C-alpha cells in the first residue's frame, strides 16, 4: 500500500507526534509498504512531492528536517496563516491511506479529519465529530454523564472567570486543574491548597481559554484500549514520583506500567466494559484509549478518551497489543485495516 504517515503539526505534542510518526513509518516500511513520512504543517518541496512513492522514503532524513523545523516552529507559525503545509493534500491524495500520527490541537480534534473527508482521503482513527467531542474534556464529561459512564465531579471554567471557586462544583481540595483540550498532561496540576489552585488556573490558562476543574481521585491509574469495539488488556500506570504528567509519560523509567493489570477478574471486566461504553458514548470508531482512576473502595472513574493515542516506544496501546501476541508492525497494519 501507499501510505502517508502524517506527523508533526503545531501543538504542544509536536515532539511526541514526530516520535510516533517515526516508529509507525519504520514499522510499515519494514512490512513492505510504500511509506511517505510527512509533516502536516511544514509540508515538503515540489520536488519531494513529485517523487512521492517513486523511491524509498528516508525516514531518518525526514525526521532530521522535522526536528530542525521544531526549533523555529513559533516563528514559522507567525509567518503563516495556513495550518496545512505545502503539498500535503496533494501527497495524501496520491496515497491509499493516511496513518494519523498526530497528537493534540489541529490533529486530534477533528479538523484534519473533516478536511480529509471533503477531499475523499482515507485515514486511520475515528471521524471528525467524535474526534472533536473527545478532544474537549468538558464535552467528554457531559457525554459520559448522559450515558451513565462514571466520571469525576467537575466543570469548565472560562478565562474571564478565574475567581470561580472549586466549591461551586461540589468538590473540595485537592483538585485537578487542566486545559480543556490539551493532551499529554501538558498544563495539568494537582492543587492541594487555595494558593496552589490559583496558580494552577494561571498555568492552565496559559495554554487555553477554557480549563477543567475536577475532583482529585486518589488511587490507582489505568488505561484501556478499545480497538474495533473490543477492549484490550488493561495497563496499570504507577509513576515512581508524582502523578502521570508529561515527564512521567515519556521519560523512560519514570513510570512502572503493568500489563495486564493485577486486579480481579470482576474489576477487569467492569473496567473493560466501561471503556467500551465510554468509546460508544463519544461515538468513537476504529480505535482509542481511555484512562481511568480507581479509588480505595474500588470505585472506577473514566477520565477521558484519546482518539489518536501515542505510538512511541513507551506508549500504552503497543504494550496491550503485545500481551495478545500482536507485534508493533502488526498493530499498525491492524489500525490501517480499521480505517474509514
Amino acid at each position: 500500500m501507499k501510505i502517508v504517515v502524517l506527523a508533526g503539526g503545531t501543538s504542544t505534542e509536536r515532539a511526541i507526534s514526530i516520535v510516533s510518526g517515526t516508529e509507525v513509518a519504520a514499522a510499515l516500511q519494514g512490512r513492505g509498504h510504500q511509506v511517505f513520512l510527512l509533516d502536516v504543517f511544514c509540508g515538503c518541496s515540489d520536488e519531494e512531492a513529485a517523487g512521492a512513492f517513486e523511491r524509498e522514503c528516508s525516514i531518518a532524513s525526514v525526521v532530521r528536517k522535522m526536528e530542525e523545523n521544531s526549533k523555529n516552529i513559533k516563528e514559522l507559525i507567525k509567518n503563516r496563516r495556513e495550518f496545512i503545509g505545502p503539498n500535503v493534500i496533494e501527497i495524501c491524495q496520491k496515497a491509499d491511506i493516511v496513518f494519523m500520527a498526530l497528537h493534540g490541537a489541529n490533529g486530534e480534534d477533528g479538523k484534519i479529519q473533516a478536511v480529509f473527508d471533503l477531499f475523499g482521503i482515507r485515514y486511520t482513527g475515528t471521524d471528525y465529530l467524535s474526534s472533536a467531542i473527545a478532544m474537549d474534556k468538558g464535552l467528554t464529561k457531559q457525554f459520559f454523564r448522559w450515558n451513565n459512564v462514571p466520571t469525576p465531579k467537575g466543570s469548565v471554567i472560562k478565562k474571564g472567570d478565574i475567581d470561580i471557586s472549586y466549591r461551586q462544583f461540589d468538590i473540595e481540595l485537592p483538585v485537578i486543574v487542566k486545559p480543556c483540550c490539551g493532551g499529554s498532561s501538558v498544563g495539568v496540576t494537582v492543587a492541594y491548597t487555595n494558593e496552589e489552585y490559583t496558580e494552577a488556573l494561571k498555568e492552565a490558562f496559559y495554554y487555553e481559554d477554557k480549563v477543567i476543574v475536577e475532583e482529585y481521585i486518589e488511587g490507582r491509574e489505568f488505561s484501556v484500549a478499545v480497538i474495533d469495539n473490543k477492549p484490550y488488556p488493561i495497563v496499570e500506570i504507577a509513576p515512581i514520583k508524582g502523578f502521570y504528567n508529561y515527564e512521567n509519560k515519556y521519560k523512560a523509567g519514570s513510570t512502572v506500567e503493568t500489563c495486564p493489570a493485577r486486579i480481579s477478574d470482576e474489576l477487569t471486566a467492569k473496567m473493560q466494559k466501561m471503556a467500551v461504553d465510554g468509546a460508544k458514548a463519544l461515538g468513537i470508531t476504529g480505535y482509542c484509549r481511555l484512562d481511568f482512576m480507581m479509588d480505595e473502595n474500588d470505585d472506577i472513574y473514566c477520565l477521558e478518551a484519546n482518539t489518536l493515542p501515542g505510538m512511541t516506544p513507551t506508549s500504552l496501546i503497543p504494550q496491550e497489543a503485545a500481551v495478545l501476541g500482536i507485534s508493533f508492525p502488526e498493530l499498525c497494519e491492524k489500525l490501517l485495516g480499521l480505517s474509514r
Side-chain angles (χ1 to χ4, degrees):
M1 293 178 70
K2 295 178 180 177
I3 304 168
V4 168
V5 177
L6 203 60
T10 58
S11 79
T12 53
E13 297 175 82
R14 175 180 169 85
I16 304 305
S17 173
I18 292 172
V19 179
S20 286
T22 303
E23 295 293 323
V24 171
L28 292 174
Q29 196 174 73
R31 299 285 284 189
H33 296 285
Q34 293 174 270
V35 174
F36 194 95
L37 179 59
L38 182 61
D39 187 329
V40 65
F41 180 70
C42 298
C44 66
S45 68
D46 293 345
E47 182 182 0
E48 290 170 318
F53 305 114
E54 292 180 5
R55 54 183 176 270
E56 184 171 283
C57 174
S58 172
I59 295 171
S61 297
V62 176
V63 171
R64 282 195 295 270
K65 187 174 180 180
M66 282 184 172
E67 291 175 343
E68 192 62 34
N69 284 329
S70 294
K71 298 175 184 177
N72 307 307
I73 197 70
K74 290 183 179 179
E75 195 62 33
L76 293 172
I77 293 170
K78 287 180 184 177
N79 294 331
R80 245 204 23 232
R81 296 179 64 183
E82 303 88 356
F83 174 73
I84 298 177
N87 296 307
V88 168
I89 294 297
E90 292 80 357
I91 294 175
C92 290
Q93 286 178 314
K94 291 180 182 180
D96 295 312
I97 190 169
V98 175
F99 194 109
M100 301 288 277
L102 297 168
H103 305 312
N106 295 324
E108 200 168 354
D109 56 11
K111 293 178 181 177
I112 289 292
Q113 289 83 352
V115 170
F116 282 178
D117 284 344
L118 292 174
F119 278 98
I121 296 169
R122 291 180 63 212
Y123 55 88
T124 57
T126 193
D127 67 2
Y128 77 93
L129 184 57
S130 52
S131 295
I133 293 170
M135 188 70 180
D136 187 312
K137 295 179 178 65
L139 282 177
T140 294
K141 271 191 175 301
Q142 291 187 37
F143 276 76
F144 282 166
R145 288 167 180 159
W146 292 336
N147 289 275
N148 300 313
V149 178
T151 191
K153 293 179 183 178
S155 190
V156 175
I157 295 181
K158 296 182 179 179
K159 199 164 191 174
D161 302 326
I162 194 168
D163 294 329
I164 287 182
S165 170
Y166 49 85
R167 291 191 176 91
Q168 293 182 230
F169 310 130
D170 191 29
I171 56 179
E172 296 292 336
L173 294 172
V175 297
I176 291 278
V177 181
K178 55 190 175 185
C180 195
C181 297
S184 290
S185 297
V186 175
V188 177
T189 306
V190 182
Y192 292 90
T193 66
N194 289 319
E195 292 76 16
E196 288 178 351
Y197 173 69
T198 300
E199 290 303 311
L201 287 177
K202 291 177 182 177
E203 169 73 9
F205 280 130
Y206 172 81
Y207 295 99
E208 292 180 26
D209 291 339
K210 290 195 306 180
V211 305
I212 295 285
V213 176
E214 68 181 15
E215 63 177 326
Y216 174 60
I217 306 296
E218 187 171 3
R220 298 164 69 184
E221 186 164 358
F222 303 88
S223 189
V224 186
V226 177
I227 299 180
D228 196 19
N229 296 317
K230 298 178 182 64
Y232 270 38
I234 300 171
V235 181
E236 179 168 8
I237 304 155
I240 293 172
K241 182 180 180 181
F243 68 101
Y244 198 43
N245 58 14
Y246 185 93
E247 181 178 359
N248 285 332
K249 284 184 177 181
Y250 299 112
K251 184 179 178 181
S254 59
T255 300
V256 177
E257 293 159 353
T258 306
C259 185
R262 297 189 182 100
I263 57 177
S264 70
D265 291 344
E266 181 182 359
L267 288 173
T268 295
K270 182 179 179 180
M271 192 179 299
Q272 287 180 322
K273 183 181 184 301
M274 284 176 61
V276 173
D277 290 346
K280 287 180 179 177
L282 302 175
I284 298 171
T285 58
Y287 72 103
C288 64
R289 197 196 78 226
L290 294 97
D291 299 331
F292 295 87
M293 290 297 300
M294 184 170 69
D295 66 19
E296 60 183 5
N297 299 315
D298 291 341
D299 293 322
I300 303 171
Y301 302 86
C302 193
L303 304 179
E304 61 183 73
N306 303 271
T307 56
L308 290 177
M311 295 290 281
T312 74
T314 57
S315 294
L316 302 178
I317 284 187
Q319 294 185 46
E320 296 179 56
V323 170
L324 298 177
I326 302 170
S327 70
F328 184 76
E330 289 171 336
L331 174 63
C332 293
E333 288 190 319
K334 184 178 181 69
L335 300 184
L336 288 172
L338 296 174
S339 67
R340 296 177 53 75

